[in-house]
C-alpha cells in the first residue's frame, strides 16, 4: 500500500519552522500593541505547546550564559543540567505569573450583606526584583470593606491571586498596585487596603549587603482613603511586623 506523502510546506511554514518561539510570541505582542514589560502577563499570546518550546530555548541560552561565565558544565557534576534547571525555575516557578492565566476564582454574592472590615494575612509572598532578578520575600496583609454588592471569594483565593501577581519580576511599589487592581476587579468592595513588607536580596545579597533592611508600602482604596478611623483600625489590627 502506497504511503501518502506529506503535504509540502508553504514558504511561510518553512520560514516559521526556524523561527525561535520567543520571536513568534514577541511578534504577536507587537502586532496587538500589547506591552510586555517584566511584570506583565503575556499568557493570551502564548499558544498551546509553546511554553515547552520556550523552555528549550531558555535552556539553550542559559547554557550560553554558563559558557560565557567560563563554567565547565561538561565536567563539573554540580553544574551538569543547571541550564535546564534554571530554565524550569524561571518559566514554571518564579516567573510563572507572566506565562499562565490568572487562577480561576469562584465569586459568590454577598448573601448576608456583610459590611464589616475583613483582614487576610499575613500571606507569604515571593518574587524577584526586576533590576537584578534577586529574590524579594515578604508578607502581605489585605483589608476588605465589603458592601451588599461585593463579590465574596474564599480566603485562600487572596493568596492565589497574590502568588500570581508576585510570580514575575517586580518592584514592590508596582506589585501591590497590580494586586489591588486585581482584587478590586474581582470583589468590587467599598474599600481595599494592602500592606506589604519584604526583604530585598538585591540589597542584602549584593550592593550594600544590608541584611536587616525591609521595605514597607501600602495601597489604600475607597473608604480606606476617606475614613482615617477605618484606616487606623486596619493598621492597628495588623500584628506586629517583624
Amino acid at each position: 500500500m502506497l504511503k501518502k506523502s506529506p503535504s509540502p510546506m508553504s514558504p511561510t511554514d518553512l520560514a516559521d519552522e526556524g523561527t525561535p518561539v520567543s520571536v513568534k510570541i514577541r511578534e504577536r505582542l507587537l502586532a496587538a500593541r500589547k506591552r510586555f514589560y517584566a511584570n506583565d502577563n503575556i499568557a493570551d499570546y502564548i499558544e498551546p505547546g509553546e511554553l515547552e518550546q520556550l523552555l528549550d530555548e531558555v535552556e539553550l541560552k542559559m547554557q550560553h550564559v554558563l559558557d560565557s561565565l567560563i563554567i565547565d558544565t561538561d565536567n563539573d557534576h554540580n553544574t551538569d543540567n543547571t541550564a535546564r534547571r534554571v530554565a524550569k525555575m524561571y518559566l514554571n516557578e518564579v516567573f510563572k505569573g507572566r506565562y499562565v492565566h490568572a487562577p480561576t476564582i469562584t465569586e459568590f454574592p454577598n448573601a448576608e450583606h456583610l459590611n464589616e472590615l475583613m483582614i487576610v494575612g499575613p500571606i507569604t509572598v515571593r518574587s524577584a526584583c526586576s533590576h537584578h532578578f534577586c529574590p524579594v520575600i515578604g508578607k502581605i496583609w489585605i483589608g476588605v470593606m465589603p458592601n451588599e454588592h461585593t463579590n465574596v471569594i474564599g480566603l485562600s483565593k487572596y493568596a492565589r491571586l497574590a502568588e500570581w501577581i508576585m510570580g514575575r519580576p517586580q518592584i514592590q511599589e508596582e506589585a501591590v498596585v497590580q494586586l489591588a487592581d486585581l482584587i478590586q476587579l474581582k470583589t468590587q468592595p467599598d474599600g481595599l487596603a494592602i500592606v506589604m513588607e519584604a526583604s530585598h536580596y538585591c540589597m542584602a545579597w549584593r550592593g550594600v549587603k544590608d541584611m536587616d533592611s525591609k521595605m514597607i508600602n501600602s495601597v489604600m482604596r475607597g473608604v480606606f482613603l476617606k475614613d482615617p478611623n477605618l484606616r487606623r483600625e486596619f493598621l492597628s489590627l495588623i500584628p506586629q511586623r517583624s
Side-chain angles (χ1 to χ4, degrees):
M1 182 176 178
L2 292 174
K3 291 184 178 179
K4 186 178 179 181
S5 58
S7 302
M9 297 180 73
S10 69
T12 303
D13 291 335
L14 287 170
D16 197 52
E17 186 75 10
T19 304
V21 68
S22 63
V23 173
K24 298 177 188 177
I25 297 168
R26 183 185 294 261
E27 286 175 348
R28 288 183 208 123
L29 289 159
L30 291 171
R33 299 181 182 273
K34 168 71 175 178
R35 199 182 79 168
F36 50 101
Y37 289 179
N39 61 357
D40 288 328
N41 179 273
I42 59 171
D44 285 342
Y45 301 89
I46 299 174
E47 296 183 353
E50 286 187 334
L51 266 184
E52 290 76 13
Q53 297 172 44
L54 192 59
L55 179 60
D56 293 338
E57 182 182 334
V58 174
E59 176 189 1
L60 178 62
K61 292 183 177 180
M62 190 64 217
Q63 183 60 52
H64 292 330
V65 171
L66 294 171
D67 292 342
S68 294
L69 290 171
I70 318 169
I71 296 174
D72 183 4
T73 57
D74 291 330
N75 297 297
D76 178 6
H77 62 280
N78 290 316
T79 54
D80 179 37
N81 212 33
T82 288
R84 184 71 176 182
R85 286 191 293 268
V86 172
K88 289 172 70 175
M89 177 188 72
Y90 280 138
L91 289 176
N92 298 338
E93 295 180 274
V94 295
F95 295 166
K96 183 179 179 180
R98 296 195 78 232
Y99 305 107
V100 300
H101 290 100
T104 301
I105 302 296
T106 303
E107 301 153 17
F108 302 95
N110 185 2
E112 298 299 322
H113 295 177
L114 303 173
N115 63 352
E116 299 293 338
L117 172 61
M118 179 187 74
I119 300 174
V120 183
I123 298 169
T124 300
V125 292
R126 300 164 187 84
S127 189
C129 78
S130 51
H131 298 152
H132 296 95
F133 283 7
C134 290
V136 176
I137 299 176
K139 298 183 184 299
I140 281 180
W141 291 263
I142 301 169
V144 176
M145 192 66 182
N147 59 51
E148 62 181 16
H149 304 296
T150 296
N151 295 323
V152 178
I153 64 175
L155 294 182
S156 66
K157 303 307 185 288
Y158 290 99
R160 292 188 185 281
L161 293 175
E163 180 184 35
W164 184 66
I165 290 292
M166 297 297 165
R168 52 189 89 165
Q170 286 282 13
I171 63 169
Q172 186 170 328
E173 307 94 300
E174 293 180 0
V176 292
V177 171
Q178 285 187 336
L179 181 59
D181 290 344
L182 183 60
I183 295 173
Q184 186 91 28
L185 179 67
K186 295 287 185 183
T187 62
Q188 300 295 317
D190 272 350
L192 176 66
I194 298 177
V195 170
M196 178 173 174
E197 176 188 74
S199 297
H200 290 246
Y201 282 74
C202 57
M203 187 175 179
W205 189 30
R206 57 161 301 281
V208 296
K209 298 183 176 66
D210 185 338
M211 296 294 294
D212 297 321
S213 292
K214 296 180 186 292
M215 179 177 177
I216 303 170
N217 67 326
S218 66
V219 172
M220 302 286 167
R221 302 271 176 88
V223 289
F224 285 99
L225 268 181
K226 300 173 185 175
D227 186 343
N229 292 324
L230 179 62
R231 189 161 61 247
R232 275 194 295 270
E233 180 184 0
F234 166 68
L235 294 173
S236 70
L237 289 173
I238 293 177
Q240 184 65 39
R241 296 182 297 274
S242 58

